[in-house]
Amino acid sequence: MPASIVYTDLDGTMVGPRGSFVHTADGEVTAEPAAALLELHRAGVPLVLVSGRTHAQLQEAGRVFAADGWIGELGSTVSWAGGRETHLLTGELPAEFAGRAPVEVMAELGVVDALAAAWPGRLEWHAPWSATHTGDAMLRGRVDTAEVDAWLADRGWGWLTLKDNGRVPRTPRVTLAVEGDPHVYHLMPRGIGKGLAITWDLARRGIDPADAVAVGDSVSDLEMAPAVGRLFVTANGAAVPGMAEAMAALPAVTATAGAMGLGWAEAVRASL
C-alpha cells in the first residue's frame, strides 16, 4: 500500500555532500532526488523533515522542499502549518524545571562545561550550529556515549543522555585533539527522540503508524523504526560499522542500494 506520509532525515539522507540536493555521495550531479520529490508531491503524500537541525533552519529547508512540517533537534520540537505552530517536547526534564527550555537548564547547571572538562580535547560545542538550539545541546567530538551516560547518572543528571547523530567531515572549526572526523552529539533529556516525536505527530494528524514511512542514515534514525510501518536506511548509513546488526534487530527496516540522495529517491519511490 502507498504510504500516507513520509518522514525523512536531511543530512546524509535526503541531501548529500555539503547539503547538496543535486550531488551524489561521489560528487556527481544527479536529478534523481528532485524527480522523486516531484513524484511524492504529485501523489499528494505529505513530507515531514526530521533532523538535528533547529526549527529556524528547518523552516527554510521546509519551504525549499515544500515540506508539510518538520521535527527538529532530534525530536525536541514538532512544527506544522508552515512553522506557525510549534510544540516543544521536554521528555524527562525534572518537574522543578517545567516550562523551561532544556538548554537553559543545562547551562544553569553547568553540565556542558563539566562534560568538556571530563573529556578534555574530545568534546566541544558544534559551533556555529549549536547557538540556536533550545531542546538539546549540540556537541561534536569522539566519545563513548555509554560512558558519558554513566558519568551523567553518577552526578545526578541521569535524566540526560548523549545521542550520537553520526560523523561529519572535519573542518578548520574543529579544535579537538581527536583523530579523523568527529561525530555530532545531542545532549538532551531522556524520553525525547525522533521516533517519539513522530508518534506524537501521527497522533495529532490522525494517521495510522502502519501507513507511515521514514528514511534515515544514522543510529539516531533507527529510533524512527518502531513509530512507522517501514524504515529505509540509505546505503551510506547501512555501511557504518555496527549498523547492520542494529538494523537486523528492528522490524521492517530496509537498506537502499543507493547512498544519500540516490538512496532517498529509491525509498520514496518504493513508498508510492
Side-chain angles (χ1 to χ4, degrees):
M1 293 290 292
S4 295
I5 190 168
V6 172
Y7 291 90
T8 180
D9 174 59
L10 267 178
D11 300 292
T13 301
M14 187 176 181
V15 298
R18 298 186 179 276
S20 174
F21 194 50
V22 297
H23 286 88
T24 68
D26 297 326
E28 299 294 326
V29 176
T30 177
E32 288 302 303
L37 178 62
L38 186 59
E39 293 171 26
L40 187 72
H41 286 313
R42 281 177 172 163
V45 177
L47 176 71
V48 178
L49 307 180
V50 187
S51 173
R53 298 190 193 189
T54 64
H55 166 73
Q57 293 167 332
L58 289 173
Q59 186 166 31
E60 185 62 28
R63 289 171 177 167
V64 171
F65 297 122
D68 191 72
W70 42 91
I71 293 171
E73 298 184 41
L74 240 61
S76 296
T77 61
V78 182
S79 300
W80 62 97
R84 294 185 297 277
E85 299 287 343
T86 300
H87 181 73
L88 178 65
L89 298 170
T90 57
E92 296 180 16
L93 182 74
E96 62 192 281
F97 304 122
R100 298 177 62 185
V103 164
E104 176 190 342
V105 174
M106 284 186 268
E108 180 180 295
L109 297 175
V111 179
V112 175
D113 288 343
L115 259 179
W119 276 270
R122 302 194 66 81
L123 271 179
E124 66 182 3
W125 287 100
H126 190 39
W129 302 278
S130 56
T132 57
H133 282 240
T134 57
D136 72 296
M138 193 179 193
L139 310 172
R140 63 181 171 231
R142 292 289 289 274
V143 295
D144 185 315
T145 55
E147 288 183 6
V148 171
D149 281 359
W151 180 90
L152 289 166
D154 287 344
R155 282 150 186 78
W157 296 327
W159 53 274
L160 287 168
T161 183
L162 188 70
K163 294 188 177 183
D164 188 339
N165 200 29
R167 182 180 60 84
V168 291
R170 191 182 187 97
T171 70
R173 291 189 178 95
V174 178
T175 64
L176 301 168
V178 299
E179 295 183 1
D181 293 333
H183 283 228
V184 172
Y185 300 103
H186 296 260
L187 181 66
M188 60 202 305
R190 293 181 181 278
I192 296 175
K194 290 184 175 183
L196 293 169
I198 288 174
T199 296
W200 189 92
D201 190 53
L202 286 171
R204 181 189 68 80
R205 293 171 180 270
I207 295 177
D208 187 335
D211 297 329
V213 164
V215 193
D217 78 307
S218 70
V219 172
S220 67
D221 293 325
L222 297 182
E223 297 177 2
M224 299 191 287
V228 298
R230 177 162 293 279
L231 169 67
F232 290 92
V233 176
T234 52
N236 53 296
V240 172
M243 277 291 282
E245 294 79 7
M247 290 167 60
L250 294 168
V253 179
T254 303
T256 65
M260 297 187 177
L262 293 181
W264 182 85
E266 180 185 333
V268 167
R269 289 179 171 132
S271 305
L272 298 178

